[in-house]
């Protein structure tokens, strides 16, 4: 049986950006071509192509060729006419208008079943989770098409669905077209392809800064915590400008598997209190019962919990939420673990819009530590179950000290006022040339946008001092002491196994009664000599300091040094994970004399 050749359909011009109107020709030898300009899928009832299509404004052209019983693939291309130049990427969505705006069934409308007396508008069509087929095009900043395929589409978000500019989820599936969005949407540091793409309206921040969550998450981009990539975009719906959106990753099993190189069905994923999104909650509930029945001040009990959850990851998550003063964190909680014997729970940072003074100009004063450790909070926003784990872990002295030092580290670095304001400047510079289009589209006010950005600045400037005060009030930390650290060329100092300091001086504040660890690490070709500024014996490279003075300045001294065994003892082979022969290392003596290995220690980042 001879398979008929595919019916081809060609456009005379590529999708993209044009100055002035264009004439578009469609070509399919011997076939009839039908097309639409309003987002609907063409059929025999649609306009038939007989002469060049004159396009004078931004338009989505959808076309299909038919020859007898044969038909071509449906093709969709967007032609942007005289649109403003932009540093943002552009997304064009083609969807039959009735799917969104039909007064009875449209996803964007209230619909006939809405309970309009309630502010939430229960029963409105826009609460639907229904997925429909659309066409999605993604254009890079150079104007070229990076992705074009039929995809799935559904509305996204919680209460932000009430806004006229609603968030959307784009999903690539085989049954629509391409099964992945194969493009580095978030730049060279991001993943190379995605299953989902969220077009977010900035959530609760809509009509305010329009980048609050993306900015806040960017502050901790270097932390070991799961978080969504972000990129701003101009979005068009059937050729009509629909405003600025934040392209975000969707937090689900694909998000976890893509970032951790594990199968999407080999994880446990839970949200809120213990709503299971994937896998099982059995392991998590068992851990909670252990926390309930055992005193975490006892080292053995704390050690067990450390084997069940990534305590350092959880600590970072809590520090971020407390610093942000995120008053909605009790409802927006997601956490996961790999389904393996030693798999530990980890927490995902997302939807932080209520932080950084969203609803309160003086939120920088708020005692979020008390909020996030409240044992009798209301069902929203901080119910007892949402604060239980942190309250339990804080019973342990080691966790408490590490929590206080880690918070101090981040207030000195990640959340230092100068760094936060610099990051705000970057977002302001990115959005300021583009924001007028968003403001005009949705009848917003430029003055309010600037006021909200200023509010971020005020929060960033004043927040660290208040957080330090709250920590001192809650815990027996003593007062604040200033610490200055630097090193001579040839090495670095690591503070609390977290902050790296080299020849650029570090200045920060720590708590008098909480020991601060310092460690000197020489570069290759150097050795550590000693400390200047503190009475520690030369050659002792690691110490815990109680900062009893109001100010302490220390310098690590390094000097050039070539070890006498350099070039003589060589690591010849390494077996790091061999189930049969176990772990082993082979050393080769490249000299003519025996070398004693007495006193040698082999370590990596986790084992000693």
């Amino acid at each position: 049986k001879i398979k008929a050749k595919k019916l081809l359909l060609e456009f005379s011009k590529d999708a993209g950006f044009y100055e002035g109107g264009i004439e578009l020709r469609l070509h399919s030898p011997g076939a009839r071509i039908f097309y639409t300009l309003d987002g609907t899928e063409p059929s025999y009832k649609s306009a038939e192509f007989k002469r060049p299509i004159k396009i004078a404004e931004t338009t989505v052209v959808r076309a299909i060729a038919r020859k007898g019983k044969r038909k071509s693939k449906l093709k969709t291309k967007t032609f942007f006419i005289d649109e403003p130049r932009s540093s943002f990427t552009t997304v064009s969505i083609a969807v039959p208008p009735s799917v969104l705006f039909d007064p009875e069934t449209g996803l964007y409308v209230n619909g006939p079943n809405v309970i309009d007396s309630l502010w939430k508008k229960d029963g409105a069509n826009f609460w639907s989770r229904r997925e429909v087929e659309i066409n999605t095009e993604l254009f890079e900043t150079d104007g070229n098409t990076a992705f074009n395929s039929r995809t799935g589409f559904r509305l996204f978000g919680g209460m932000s669905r009430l806004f006229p500019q609603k968030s959307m989820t784009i999903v690539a599936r085989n049954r629509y077209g391409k099964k992945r969005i194969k493009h580095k949407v978030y730049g060279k540091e991001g993943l190379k392809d995605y299953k989902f793409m969220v077009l977010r309206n900035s959530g609760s921040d809509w009509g305010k800064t329009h980048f609050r969550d993306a900015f806040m998450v960017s502050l901790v981009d270097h932390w070991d915590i799961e978080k969504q990539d972000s990129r701003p975009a101009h979005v068009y719906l059937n050729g009509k400008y629909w405003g600025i959106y934040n392209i975000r990753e969707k937090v689900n099993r694909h998000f976890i598997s893509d970032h951790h190189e594990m199968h999407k069905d080999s994880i446990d994923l839970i949200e809120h209190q213990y709503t299971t999104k994937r896998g099982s909650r059995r392991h998590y509930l068992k851990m909670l019962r252990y926390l309930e029945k055992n005193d975490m001040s006892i080292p053995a009990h704390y050690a067990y919990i450390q084997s069940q959850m990534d305590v350092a990851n959880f600590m970072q998550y809590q520090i971020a939420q407390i610093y942000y003063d995120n008053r909605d964190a009790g409802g927006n909680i997601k956490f996961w673990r790999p389904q393996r014997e030693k798999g530990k729970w980890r927490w995902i940072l997302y939807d932080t819009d209520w932080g950084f003074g969203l609803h309160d100009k003086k939120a920088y004063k708020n005692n979020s530590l008390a909020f996030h450790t409240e044992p009798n909070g209301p069902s929203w926003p901080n119910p007892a179950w949402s604060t239980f784990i942190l309250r339990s872990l804080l019973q342990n002295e080691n966790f408490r000290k590490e929590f206080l030092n880690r918070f101090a580290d981040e207030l000195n670095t990640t959340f230092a006022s100068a760094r936060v304001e610099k990051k705000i400047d970057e977002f302001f510079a990115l959005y300021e040339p583009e924001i007028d289009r968003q403001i005009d589209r949705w009848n917003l006010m430029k003055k309010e946008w600037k006021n909200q950005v200023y509010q971020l600045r005020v929060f960033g400037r004043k927040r660290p001092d208040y957080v330090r005060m709250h920590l001192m009030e809650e815990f027996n930390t003593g007062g604040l002491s200033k610490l200055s650290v630097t090193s001579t060329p040839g090495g670095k100092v690591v503070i609390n196994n977290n902050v790296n300091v080299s020849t650029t001086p570090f200045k920060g504040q720590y708590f008098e009664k909480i020991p601060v660890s310092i460690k000197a690490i020489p570069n290759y070709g150097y050795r550590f000599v000693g400390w200047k500024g503190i009475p520690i014996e030369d050659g002792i490279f690691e110490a815990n300091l109680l900062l009893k003075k109001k100010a302490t300045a220390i310098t690590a001294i390094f000097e050039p040094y070539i070890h006498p065994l350099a070039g003589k003892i060589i690591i010849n082979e390494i077996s790091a994970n061999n189930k049969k022969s176990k772990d082993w290392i082979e050393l080769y003596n490249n000299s003519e004399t025996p070398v004693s290995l007495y006193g040698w220690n082999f370590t990596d980042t986790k084992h000693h």
Side-chain angles (χ1 to χ4, degrees):
K1 187 176 180 179
I2 300 174
K3 190 175 181 179
K5 291 183 179 180
K6 290 182 179 180
L7 196 59
L8 299 179
L9 171 63
E10 295 179 348
F11 282 56
S12 63
K13 292 185 180 295
D14 292 329
F17 296 79
Y18 294 87
E19 294 183 4
I22 62 171
E23 286 192 349
L24 177 68
R25 291 174 173 80
L26 306 176
H27 182 66
S28 182
R32 298 173 69 190
I33 301 173
F34 301 90
Y35 70 93
T36 64
L37 305 178
D38 65 351
T40 56
E41 293 191 11
S43 67
Y44 278 118
K45 296 180 181 181
S46 303
E48 185 174 356
F49 177 78
K50 293 182 177 180
R51 60 184 60 86
I53 305 169
K54 294 183 177 181
I55 299 176
E57 61 182 8
T58 298
T59 302
V60 175
V61 180
R62 310 192 77 182
I64 191 167
R66 292 180 178 272
K67 188 176 183 180
K69 294 183 178 180
R70 295 165 61 201
K71 62 180 180 180
S72 70
K73 287 185 177 180
L74 171 62
K75 282 197 171 184
T76 304
K77 291 190 177 186
T78 303
F79 300 91
F80 300 93
I81 308 299
D82 295 330
E83 296 289 353
R85 292 186 178 275
S86 174
S87 62
F88 288 3
T89 189
T90 302
V91 178
S92 176
I93 291 172
V95 54
S98 61
V99 169
L100 300 184
F101 304 111
D102 182 276
E104 294 289 324
T105 62
L107 292 176
Y108 256 60
V109 305
N110 288 340
N113 301 315
V114 65
I115 303 175
D116 213 11
S117 60
L118 298 177
W119 70 277
K120 186 182 175 183
K121 296 190 176 182
D122 285 324
N125 290 4
F126 52 72
W127 289 111
S128 170
R129 308 242 174 222
R130 181 164 62 104
E131 184 173 304
V132 298
E133 184 176 334
I134 66 166
N135 195 88
T136 302
E137 294 171 273
L138 177 67
F139 297 85
E140 265 300 347
T141 54
D142 60 5
N144 291 324
T145 304
F147 175 79
N148 185 349
S149 176
R150 298 168 83 170
T151 65
F153 168 99
R154 56 180 181 257
L155 295 183
F156 173 84
M159 300 310 295
S160 66
R161 292 178 185 232
L162 293 167
F163 297 131
Q165 183 188 15
K166 304 184 191 307
S167 298
M168 319 166 190
T169 296
I170 307 298
V171 54
R173 300 191 193 280
N174 267 331
R175 69 174 181 264
Y176 299 133
K178 297 174 181 176
K179 65 179 181 179
R180 301 282 290 187
I181 301 171
K182 292 187 176 181
H183 178 61
K184 289 195 170 185
V185 177
Y186 307 101
K188 62 182 180 180
E189 299 299 323
L191 300 177
K192 64 181 181 180
D193 59 73
Y194 301 86
K195 184 74 174 175
F196 290 83
M197 184 172 72
V198 174
L199 302 176
R200 194 168 185 267
N201 64 359
S202 202
S204 301
D205 183 50
W206 187 83
K208 295 181 171 62
T209 72
H210 217 65
F211 59 72
R212 204 179 223 96
D213 180 63
F215 149 70
M216 290 162 67
V217 172
S218 76
L219 289 174
V220 298
D221 194 49
H222 56 292
W223 287 14
D224 179 27
I225 189 170
E226 282 74 20
K227 48 205 169 291
Q228 301 158 287
D229 261 337
S230 178
R231 185 180 185 186
H234 290 296
V235 174
Y236 290 76
L237 211 56
N238 292 335
K240 183 178 181 181
Y241 181 65
W242 214 251
I244 295 175
Y245 281 80
N246 297 311
I247 305 179
R248 308 301 295 270
E249 296 176 274
K250 186 170 176 60
V251 179
N252 56 18
R253 58 182 177 142
H254 296 275
F255 170 82
I256 299 298
S257 72
D258 287 348
H259 284 276
H260 290 273
E261 297 183 354
M262 61 181 61
H263 195 276
K264 63 183 184 297
D265 293 326
S266 297
I267 64 171
D268 296 328
L269 176 62
I270 299 176
E271 71 177 18
H272 204 247
Q273 187 171 5
Y274 36 66
T275 301
T276 305
K277 302 300 289 184
R278 181 60 50 175
S280 168
R281 63 186 180 188
R282 189 180 300 111
H283 184 280
Y284 181 68
L285 294 177
K286 180 182 176 182
M287 185 181 76
L288 290 184
R289 286 194 293 270
Y290 192 93
L291 282 167
E292 290 170 352
K293 294 179 180 180
N294 295 279
D295 182 356
M296 286 299 106
S297 66
I298 298 174
H301 296 327
Y302 177 57
Y304 174 78
I305 291 300
Q306 286 179 300
S307 72
Q308 304 299 296
M309 61 180 279
D310 189 330
V311 172
N313 166 269
F314 178 77
M315 184 183 296
Q316 289 180 307
Y317 175 84
Q318 293 294 335
I319 287 172
Q321 300 284 23
I322 291 168
Y323 167 80
Y324 295 153
D325 185 45
N326 184 7
R327 297 273 152 166
D328 195 27
N332 292 320
I333 299 176
K334 289 188 180 183
F335 40 99
W336 73 282
R337 67 178 286 273
Q339 290 176 344
R340 54 175 179 251
E341 184 179 354
K342 295 183 179 180
K344 297 182 180 182
W345 291 100
R346 289 175 59 86
W347 275 255
I348 303 168
L349 186 66
Y350 77 106
D351 199 5
T352 63
D353 297 313
W354 275 51
F356 255 74
L358 178 74
H359 297 300
D360 181 2
K361 291 182 179 180
K362 295 186 178 180
Y364 55 81
K365 294 183 178 181
N366 289 343
N367 189 340
S368 303
L369 176 65
F371 179 91
H372 284 271
T373 55
E374 171 58 53
N376 299 304
S379 59
W380 182 88
N382 57 338
W385 64 262
S386 71
T387 65
F388 171 68
I389 297 179
L390 180 58
R391 285 187 283 114
S392 300
L393 295 181
L394 284 170
Q395 297 171 12
N396 183 271
E397 183 180 6
N398 286 340
F399 177 88
R400 196 162 55 246
K401 288 181 178 179
E402 188 176 347
F403 176 79
L404 287 164
N405 266 339
R406 185 57 183 262
F407 220 140
D409 287 341
E410 304 308 342
L411 291 172
N412 292 327
T413 56
T414 299
F415 302 135
S417 296
R419 181 179 184 270
V420 171
E421 189 148 12
K422 182 180 178 182
K423 186 69 72 172
I424 295 170
D425 288 342
E426 292 172 3
F427 273 83
F428 180 85
L430 179 63
Y431 277 77
E432 201 277 335
E434 314 282 350
I435 199 68
D436 284 340
R437 298 185 68 193
Q438 168 75 7
I439 289 168
D440 292 342
R441 175 63 185 83
W442 297 108
N443 197 27
L444 303 171
M445 293 187 295
K446 182 74 170 282
K447 182 179 179 181
E448 173 62 13
W449 180 72
K450 288 185 175 180
N451 286 341
Q452 284 289 325
V453 176
Y454 176 73
Q455 201 162 307
L456 295 184
R457 297 185 192 280
V458 173
F459 188 99
R461 291 168 191 164
K462 297 188 176 184
R463 184 62 173 165
D465 288 341
Y466 281 92
V467 173
R468 290 186 180 102
M469 180 178 67
H470 299 150
L471 292 168
M472 288 189 290
E473 289 174 350
E474 178 66 24
F475 304 104
N476 184 25
T477 66
L480 289 171
S481 180
K482 295 179 180 179
L483 176 65
S484 299
V485 180
T486 189
S487 76
T488 62
K492 68 179 181 180
V493 179
V494 180
I495 303 172
N496 294 325
N497 294 315
N498 181 40
V499 180
N500 294 313
V501 183
S502 56
T503 54
T504 301
F506 165 87
K507 294 183 179 181
Q509 297 183 75
Y510 289 92
F511 304 108
E512 289 178 337
K513 294 184 179 180
I514 308 300
V516 175
S517 74
I518 55 171
K519 182 190 296 184
I521 301 177
N523 296 336
Y524 181 75
Y526 288 81
R527 69 175 174 181
F528 174 65
V529 177
W531 301 98
K532 178 182 178 182
I534 49 176
I536 298 179
E537 183 180 343
D538 285 352
I540 303 298
F541 67 90
E542 189 171 3
N544 291 319
L545 304 178
L546 272 176
L547 304 175
K548 297 181 179 180
K549 299 179 181 179
K550 289 296 180 184
T552 302
I554 61 176
T555 302
I557 309 298
F558 299 92
E559 67 179 13
Y561 177 72
I562 302 299
H563 195 280
L565 293 180
K568 297 179 181 179
I569 301 300
I570 298 170
I571 298 176
N572 205 38
E573 285 189 73
I574 296 176
S575 174
N577 187 22
N578 191 309
K579 293 182 179 179
K580 291 184 178 180
S581 62
K582 306 302 180 183
D583 298 350
W584 54 266
I585 185 169
E586 180 180 287
L587 300 178
Y588 173 70
N589 185 352
N590 195 37
S591 69
E592 297 180 355
T593 57
V595 175
S596 172
L597 301 184
Y598 178 78
W600 283 39
N601 290 303
F602 291 96
T603 68
D604 59 21
T605 56
K606 294 184 178 180
H607 307 92
H608 297 278

